[in-house]
Amino acid sequence: ARSAASDAAASSTAAEEAATALEALLALRGCRDGGAAASKPRRSGALDAAEQRQRSFSRRYSRSFALAADEAPVEVVHEDEWLLALNKPADVSSVPRHRFEGSSMVNRAVHYLGGRSPYVVHRLDHGTSGLLLFGKTRPAAASLAAQFRERTLSKAYLATLLATHPLPDSFVVDAPIAGHPQDRLRSYVPADAAEAEALRAQEALTRFRVLERADRAALCEASPVSGRMHQIRLHAEHSGCPIAGDTQYGAGAQPHPPCARLLLHAHTLRVRHPASDEPLQLVAPLPADYREGLERFGLSGAAQPLGV
């Protein structure tokens, strides 16, 4: 247990760091002690450098404040000295929008870890449930982040696709993904190579395998090779069979009444352990609300992704 003296020292250090960063930020803006900003014009190059320093000081100032702890319960899939894997519910954000906000999985992890901040190595969409992995130490987080970045790990999701047309037993969607030209909150598959180049689209590939079929939907294993924003959801829509409950990609194909949630779940993650380098397979069980969605389409959810 930490002593009162060490807690006070840590608090003092954090306060000093905040004060130092804030003083530097105000000085950079020409606003010492809250005064008016300096009106002396800057050259564009100097302004760019100043903006970069301002952002750096802003980040330092923000990070001097502890993340909020959210007392909502967590479902732990795996925990050891180096990493923490949680089963994220649907409709909970992976990270807070701002450091001063809560109600995300990061904030829940902060409470679970007794006030320690976890290291974020990847994210899940707000509506997606399933396996969310955090590093508990900086070296562990760096190792895990490198595996995501270099694609040396494997991921398997359970996605319930609407059967708008007959699906083959397995298929691959290989379509580049760009940011939507009109909506920064959406991703987009360009219409042709020229548009892909203009929008700076990045290559993206997702493998789908049908696990169980019903008249109106199919439960599929979805394995993204790349990791673009909304990749599985967008590729499912691009295949002509959007994911059930997805009102952002394939809203016109959704049943009535609509599904209670997005039927996409991060089920399996296979990584190399950051300390031992041994293979580690993590599995997040399907939550009750996902199973209720499957029952609506006459699916059992009994089938599992390969290797589980």
Side-chain angles (χ1 to χ4, degrees), residues 5-44:
S6 62
D7 285 341
S11 177
S12 176
T13 300
E16 289 172 1
E17 289 177 354
T20 300
L22 180 58
E23 181 180 357
L25 178 60
L26 292 176
L28 186 60
R29 288 177 174 174
C31 300
R32 288 192 181 277
D33 300 322
S39 58
K40 182 179 178 180
R42 298 176 184 266
R43 295 190 304 273
S44 59

Side-chain angles (χ1 to χ4, degrees), residues 51-293:
E51 286 178 344
Q52 292 175 7
R53 290 197 300 274
Q54 178 177 316
R55 290 176 182 175
S56 175
F57 287 131
S58 295
R59 286 194 295 269
R60 284 175 54 196
Y61 180 62
S62 173
R63 290 172 182 170
S64 66
F65 293 89
L67 285 164
D70 190 332
E71 296 184 7
V74 295
E75 180 183 346
V76 177
V77 173
H78 175 89
E79 181 181 12
D80 58 32
E81 184 179 347
W82 298 274
L83 56 86
L84 173 67
L86 302 179
N87 194 354
K88 173 181 128 30
D91 301 322
V92 177
S93 297
S94 295
V95 299
R97 290 187 306 168
H98 303 289
R99 193 170 182 87
F100 306 107
E101 295 183 355
S103 303
S104 75
M105 292 304 296
V106 165
N107 303 107
R108 295 186 182 191
V110 168
H111 179 262
Y112 175 78
L113 294 172
R116 290 174 53 198
S117 297
Y119 292 91
V120 176
V121 296
H122 74 125
R123 305 182 186 191
L124 298 177
D125 291 348
H126 181 82
T128 303
S129 59
L131 201 61
L132 188 61
L133 186 60
F134 297 103
K136 291 175 70 176
T137 68
R138 191 183 296 274
S143 171
L144 295 168
Q147 293 180 58
F148 276 96
R149 183 175 60 253
E150 297 165 8
R151 304 177 190 175
T152 56
L153 48 72
S154 62
K155 299 173 281 186
Y157 290 69
L158 291 177
T160 303
L161 273 57
L162 296 171
T164 57
H165 62 77
L167 285 169
D169 290 341
S170 62
F171 61 98
V172 174
V173 178
D174 185 356
I177 291 177
H180 196 284
Q182 280 86 41
D183 187 349
R184 66 180 183 84
L185 299 179
R186 291 170 57 90
S187 292
Y188 175 72
V189 173
D192 52 38
E195 186 180 31
E197 183 177 0
L199 294 176
R200 299 181 179 180
Q202 296 178 296
E203 53 85 19
L205 185 146
T206 308
R207 296 188 175 94
F208 293 89
R209 185 173 69 93
V210 176
L211 301 174
E212 185 181 0
R213 299 178 185 272
D215 291 339
R216 297 181 296 149
L219 177 62
C220 299
E221 174 186 351
S223 300
V225 176
S226 44
R228 312 306 176 201
M229 185 176 82
H230 301 166
Q231 177 174 320
I232 296 174
R233 298 163 60 194
L234 184 56
H235 275 177
E237 181 194 36
H238 190 68
S239 76
C241 295
I243 296 177
D246 197 338
T247 58
Q248 195 170 23
Y249 300 99
Q254 298 300 319
H256 297 282
C259 297
R261 57 155 293 181
L262 173 70
L263 293 186
L264 180 62
H265 179 77
H267 185 268
T268 310
L269 185 62
R270 300 178 184 92
V271 301
R272 308 293 299 190
H273 194 279
S276 67
D277 200 41
E278 293 295 319
L280 175 65
Q281 176 170 286
L282 305 168
V283 177
L286 276 177
D289 57 357
Y290 196 112
R291 292 192 176 278
E292 290 171 3

